[in-house]
Amino acid sequence: MTDYVINTADPLDWPGMLCVLQTANLHHIPSPEMPGLALETTFVARNGEGIAGVGGFKMTGPKAAKTTLLAVHPNYRGSPIGRQLQEQRMAAAKAAGAETLTTNCDLPAVINWYKRLFGYREVGNLPKLHSFGDPDIDRWTTLETDLMAWSGPRSA
Ligand SMILES: CC(C)(COP(=O)(O)OP(=O)(O)OC[C@H]1O[C@@H](n2cnc3c(N)ncnc32)[C@H](O)[C@@H]1OP(=O)(O)O)[C@@H](O)C(=O)NCCC(=O)NCCS
C-alpha cells in the first residue's frame, strides 16, 4: 500500500499523466479518440514518486456526463487508487448536475469491475477509430451508470 492524495490535475502534471496513460496505450492526445483533456475535470493521484493514476470526465449535456480516461500505473494497481479515482469523478460529475455517466471500455476484466463496483450496465458498443487502449481489441463496450442511484464513495 502506497500513500497518495487525489487532487484536480494541474498543467504541471501533464508529463506525469502522459507517463501513466502510456502504460495503458491511452496517451494519444490529441487524437480522434481523445481530442483533449479538460484538466479542471481530471483528477490525479499523487504519491511520493509522482503521478500514480489519472481519471476524468466531461459534461455532455445538462444532465449527462462521459468519462474521459482512467489509468493507474501498473506498479500501483490494486491499491485501490483506481476505485477512488472512479469514485471521485462520479461524485464530481454528479455535483455538476449529471444524472448519468457513460464510459467506453475495452478490457473485459475492467468492464466487469465497472459493473460490479459502480452499477454500470452495457448499453452498446462502437468501433475504435485507431489504436487506443488494448491494441488487440478493436471495439469499445459502452457502459452507463445511474448517478442518482449511486450511494457515494465507499470508505477507504
Ligand atoms: C482499471 C484500473 C484503472 C483499476 O485501477 P486499480 O488501482 O487497480 O483499481 P483497484 O485498486 O480498485 O483494483 C481493481 C481490481 O484489480 C485487482 N488487482 C489487484 N492487484 C492488481 C494488480 N497488480 N493489477 C491489476 N489489478 C489488480 C484488485 O483486487 C481489484 O479487484 P477487486 O475490486 O475485486 O478488489 C487499472 O487496472 C488500469 O489502469 N487498467 C488499464 C487501463 C484501463 O483499462 N482503464 C479503463 C479504461 S475505460
Side-chain angles (χ1 to χ4, degrees):
M1 181 68 147
T2 175
D3 287 331
Y4 59 90
V5 291
I6 292 179
N7 301 121
T8 306
D10 180 276
L12 294 175
D13 294 327
W14 190 241
M17 292 166 62
L18 282 178
C19 283
V20 171
L21 293 169
Q22 188 162 16
T23 67
N25 192 33
L26 298 173
H27 60 296
H28 308 288
I29 310 166
S31 72
E33 283 288 356
M34 191 54 59
L37 273 189
L39 294 187
E40 62 273 18
T41 52
T42 301
F43 302 97
V44 292
R46 292 189 177 83
N47 63 15
E49 296 175 352
I51 304 296
V54 179
F57 75 100
K58 63 180 180 182
M59 296 302 290
T60 53
K63 295 185 176 180
K66 183 176 184 299
T67 58
T68 49
L69 298 172
L70 175 69
V72 171
H73 191 284
N75 290 351
Y76 304 112
R77 288 188 192 160
S79 303
I81 294 175
R83 173 170 64 77
Q84 292 190 341
L85 282 167
Q86 171 66 14
E87 289 175 342
Q88 181 84 34
R89 66 184 183 173
M90 288 176 79
K94 188 172 180 176
E99 295 182 357
T100 59
L101 181 65
T102 303
T103 295
N104 285 327
C105 187
D106 55 359
L107 297 171
V110 180
I111 291 168
N112 286 336
W113 179 74
Y114 279 121
K115 289 178 179 174
R116 187 164 44 82
L117 292 187
F118 308 108
Y120 279 92
R121 63 191 177 86
E122 287 186 29
V123 295
N125 65 83
L126 71 167
K128 289 184 183 177
L129 302 174
H130 52 80
S131 175
F132 202 84
D134 188 324
D136 295 328
I137 302 177
D138 64 4
R139 296 190 80 80
W140 298 112
T141 296
T142 303
L143 305 165
E144 187 177 285
T145 190
D146 178 359
L147 293 173
M148 305 313 284
W150 179 55
S151 54
R154 298 193 299 179
S155 53

